[in-house]
Amino acid sequence: MPKTFICALPTPFDGQNRIDTDSYIKLIERVQPYADGLLALGTTAEAQLLNADEKTDLLNVTRQVCPLPLIAGIEQASTAAAAKEAEHYAKLGADMLLIAPPPFCKCTVKGYICHIEEIIKASGLPVMLYNIPSRAGYGLDIEAIAELAYSHGVRYIKDSCNNVDFAKKVRPYADVLCGSDEMLDEYLDCGASGAVSVAGNYAPKHTRQVLDCGTAEEKTEFKKLARLAASEVNPIAIKYMLYKAGVFTTYSVRLPLTPANRQTRDTIDGALGI
């Protein structure tokens, strides 16, 4: 059965810390022939460090440049703000929403279900749930996933908890997409439906090959690239990799993130030979 490749796009900045639209389009053109869909405004995009106008501009550019399904990330802690953002993204042409658990407040299970329900109601779009305890501070509840799958037809989970046992528990209710590139092979072995990939920005063709029953050698090489892309807090390393590949003009990130440090740069330079 074909596996799904969603590319989690980073946001390039120019020397004045403004969005570099030309580099962004170059990246989209790089991944489009191999991906099944694009994720904008996710973790990799530094979405929480972008203002509302910048988010709108990124979605507009993505929609105009690429015909692939467009997934927009929602990372708001407030349900009201998340629902308003979701409604806006639907009007901009998003096809689906990736919803991160409300961070810091550590909502109750019932509160999480209501949070998702309000976003669906406001946008009218299908949603993908995002399990990322390292950033949210807590993991998704299996019973909540089951209820949302049953009552609202939620079909997809992006899992970034690095725990295939969780993925196995989710599979009776929804399709799992691997959100941890370093463990892609393990997730595929346990029945994952594909990946929401960061390393795919640098190596989209290679990612496609691995998802399409890649060889052992291809899988090993992909794992090495995935580890490079995760060598500093996402998206620090992947932005440096794209800079070295000539896709981005800088590897700038926005505070409180900091650009790739010397060790990361040396490691990537040595591994990629560029």
Side-chain angles (χ1 to χ4, degrees):
M1 184 174 181
K3 301 297 184 180
T4 300
F5 170 22
I6 305 297
C7 195
L9 301 172
T11 304
F13 301 121
D14 63 18
Q16 284 72 50
N17 210 21
R18 300 169 303 196
I19 292 177
D20 182 351
T21 302
D22 290 342
S23 291
Y24 188 66
I25 292 172
K26 186 184 292 187
L27 174 62
I28 291 173
E29 291 173 343
R30 176 188 183 90
V31 304
Q32 180 178 327
Y34 307 102
D36 299 302
L38 303 179
L39 168 62
L41 307 183
T43 303
T44 310
E46 299 171 73
Q48 292 196 343
L49 308 180
L50 303 174
N51 64 41
D53 288 341
E54 289 173 326
K55 292 179 180 180
T56 295
D57 289 344
L58 279 177
L59 286 183
N60 279 332
V61 170
T62 311
R63 181 75 291 162
Q64 291 165 8
V65 170
C66 182
L68 293 177
L70 171 59
I71 304 168
I74 301 283
E75 300 179 351
Q76 298 285 353
S78 158
T79 299
K84 183 177 180 180
E85 197 169 64
E87 181 181 14
H88 179 56
Y89 293 169
K91 291 176 180 176
L92 294 176
D95 299 295
M96 179 180 281
L97 302 172
L98 173 67
I99 307 175
F104 192 76
C105 62
K106 296 187 72 172
C107 61
T108 62
V109 172
K110 179 60 178 177
Y112 173 75
I113 292 171
C114 291
H115 182 77
I116 302 300
E117 288 175 336
E118 289 298 313
I119 291 171
I120 293 173
K121 180 181 176 181
S123 67
L125 292 176
V127 302
M128 181 187 300
L129 307 181
Y130 190 5
N131 188 41
I132 184 161
S134 64
R135 290 180 184 260
Y138 57 98
L140 298 190
D141 181 84
I142 298 294
E143 291 184 8
I145 294 170
E147 180 172 335
L148 289 166
Y150 176 76
S151 61
H152 293 285
V154 172
R155 289 187 53 204
Y156 300 101
I157 310 289
K158 177 190 175 186
D159 184 35
S160 298
C161 74
N162 298 333
N163 183 350
V164 293
D165 288 336
F166 174 86
K168 291 175 183 177
K169 293 176 182 177
V170 168
R171 282 194 61 224
Y173 309 107
D175 292 338
V176 176
L177 296 176
C178 176
S180 302
D181 281 329
E182 314 97 288
M183 295 189 65
L184 178 57
D185 201 22
E186 292 87 341
Y187 270 77
L188 293 177
D189 284 345
C190 82
S193 299
V196 180
S197 178
V198 174
N201 287 284
Y202 179 81
K205 183 178 180 180
H206 194 153
T207 306
R208 178 81 272 162
Q209 290 169 335
V210 170
L211 287 167
D212 292 343
C213 299
T215 65
E217 183 179 356
E218 288 170 341
K219 292 177 180 179
T220 298
E221 184 60 28
F222 180 81
K223 192 177 284 279
K224 291 178 181 177
L225 290 174
R227 287 171 176 163
L228 287 178
S231 55
E232 274 200 80
V233 173
N234 187 38
I236 291 171
I238 191 62
K239 293 185 90 168
Y240 182 71
M241 292 167 71
L242 290 169
Y243 165 73
K244 294 297 289 187
V247 181
F248 287 2
T249 58
T250 77
Y251 53 97
S252 299
V253 291
R254 284 186 175 170
L255 287 169
L257 297 175
T258 51
N261 63 36
R262 171 55 66 183
Q263 180 178 350
T264 297
R265 300 197 306 270
D266 287 348
T267 299
I268 290 172
D269 290 349
L272 301 181
I274 55 177

